Amino acid sequence: MLKGKAAIVTGSTSGIGLGIATALAAEGCKLMLNGFGDKAEIEKLRAGLAERHGVEVAYSPADMAKPAEIREMVAAAERRLGAVDILVNNAGIQFVAPIEEFPEEKWDQIIAINLSAAFHAIKAAVPGMARRRWGRIINIASAHGLVASERKAAYVAAKHGIVGLTKVVALDHANDGITCNAICPGWVLTPLVQKQIEARAKAEGLAVDKAKEELLKEKQPMLQFSTPEQIGALALFLCSDAAATITGTTHAIDGGWTAQ
Ligand code: NAD
């Protein structure tokens, strides 16, 4: 379905980003991976995806907190892969604390990585998409882009912000063959969530499995995690011809979290 197309997926060395990158590669899409991690592990991941799916896979170590590195990542993808047809803004971090104790540097870092990075990447990639009259921009927001939870000021602000950014980009490029949509997952069991489960287990003196159950029960009526593969399948749908007129929307994949 995506043979000849090229995608950047930010934060694709782990979790949801890796699920999306894998789904795109399986459809023949060339890839620019991005994210942190062990150099040798990342190279194994890159080479494995390229070999399994017979597509070109590049890697950029760009730090999503640094606008110049984001611009360079987009330019490198255009040079290496010929274009950026699909941009998935996925890299994200979390920090949890009551507002009066929330460290300023954590606020700045979360806004930079979870929100401003998407602005910088879209700004750099959208002119090429408009020239070619085809583009798919997918922003990984969250259920926290639609509703709030306590102690997550920066994360909830950034995710609501990215939903707003999604709508504006959709309007700015409504007639250029470009769509821009947000995916809003509920709980997905990735390293980002594992850390929250372990913190909860420690704080409440619970076994990790019990803390996992409590985490789901608190927010998500369907007591099971979505998987990175399921998020990948939804992203793939948003890249398909069937989704050509879906733009400026949010797609909850959250086990009923935001139905309440
Ligand atoms: P994860 O921790 O498994 O992966 C995060 C990825 O982002 C990693 O590849 C990491 O290296 C990368 N990253 C972090 N900081 C970076 C930086 N400064 N520059 C470049 N890359 C950076 O987390 P995940 O759960 O897969 O999260 C991916 C996205 O999905 C995030 O935006 C997160 O907010 C969102 N999300 C996750 C869940 C969930 O339940 N896991 C739910 C809703 C939304």
Side-chain angles (χ1 to χ4, degrees):
M1 182 176 99
L2 297 173
K3 235 181 160 56
K5 297 275 193 266
I8 296 177
V9 184
T10 71
S12 45
T13 52
S14 167
I16 292 172
L18 183 55
I20 294 173
T22 304
L24 295 175
E27 289 297 325
C29 191
K30 293 181 273 187
L31 279 181
M32 171 72 87
L33 298 175
N34 159 259
F36 297 152
D38 178 73
K39 246 184 163 173
E41 283 297 313
I42 293 173
E43 175 49 26
K44 220 164 90 188
L45 206 70
R46 190 204 63 74
L49 276 172
E51 195 188 59
R52 260 197 317 285
H53 303 292
V55 292
E56 188 171 355
V57 182
Y59 165 72
S60 160
D63 181 346
M64 292 301 106
K66 299 188 175 147
E69 294 190 17
I70 297 170
R71 286 189 286 274
E72 174 48 30
M73 172 186 70
V74 172
E78 287 174 339
R79 278 195 310 270
R80 253 316 273 285
L81 309 175
V84 178
D85 302 299
I86 298 166
L87 171 65
V88 183
N89 291 302
N90 166 79
I93 56 167
Q94 175 64 284
F95 188 84
V96 180
I99 187 99
E100 63 277 23
E101 291 165 21
F102 212 97
E104 278 82 4
E105 65 275 14
K106 285 289 175 195
W107 169 273
D108 289 343
Q109 197 188 10
I110 289 178
I111 298 298
I113 296 168
N114 295 18
L115 175 57
S116 301
F119 161 76
H120 296 295
I122 293 168
K123 186 174 173 189
V126 95
M129 292 178 180
R131 257 196 324 274
R132 290 183 297 275
R133 304 206 63 75
W134 199 94
R136 295 285 184 270
I137 300 167
I138 300 172
N139 296 322
I140 305 305
S142 166
H144 286 120
L146 304 170
V147 296
S149 292
E150 60 201 13
R151 296 158 38 91
K152 293 187 173 174
Y155 189 85
V156 170
K159 294 300 187 182
H160 275 66
I162 208 166
V163 167
L165 174 66
T166 299
K167 293 176 184 177
V168 174
V169 173
L171 298 180
D172 281 354
H173 290 281
N175 291 299
D176 295 332
I178 298 169
T179 68
C180 181
N181 293 287
I183 293 179
C184 298
W187 291 124
V188 184
L189 193 52
T190 65
L192 181 135
V193 168
Q194 189 65 30
K195 273 187 230 150
Q196 293 177 65
I197 292 169
E198 280 160 17
R200 186 177 188 137
K202 198 166 154 207
E204 296 176 15
L206 299 171
V208 169
D209 272 355
K210 184 72 185 156
K212 207 183 269 181
E213 198 183 305
E214 293 295 314
L215 179 102
L216 283 170
K217 252 202 229 154
E218 187 181 45
K219 295 285 177 185
Q220 197 162 297
M222 190 180 283
L223 299 173
Q224 75 187 51
F225 292 95
S226 300
T227 65
E229 291 73 21
Q230 289 168 329
I231 313 291
L234 178 52
L236 204 56
F237 170 70
L238 290 172
C239 293
S240 72
D241 287 343
T245 58
I246 298 179
T247 197
T249 62
T250 54
H251 298 264
I253 171 163
D254 67 359
W257 181 326
T258 56
Q260 300 167 97

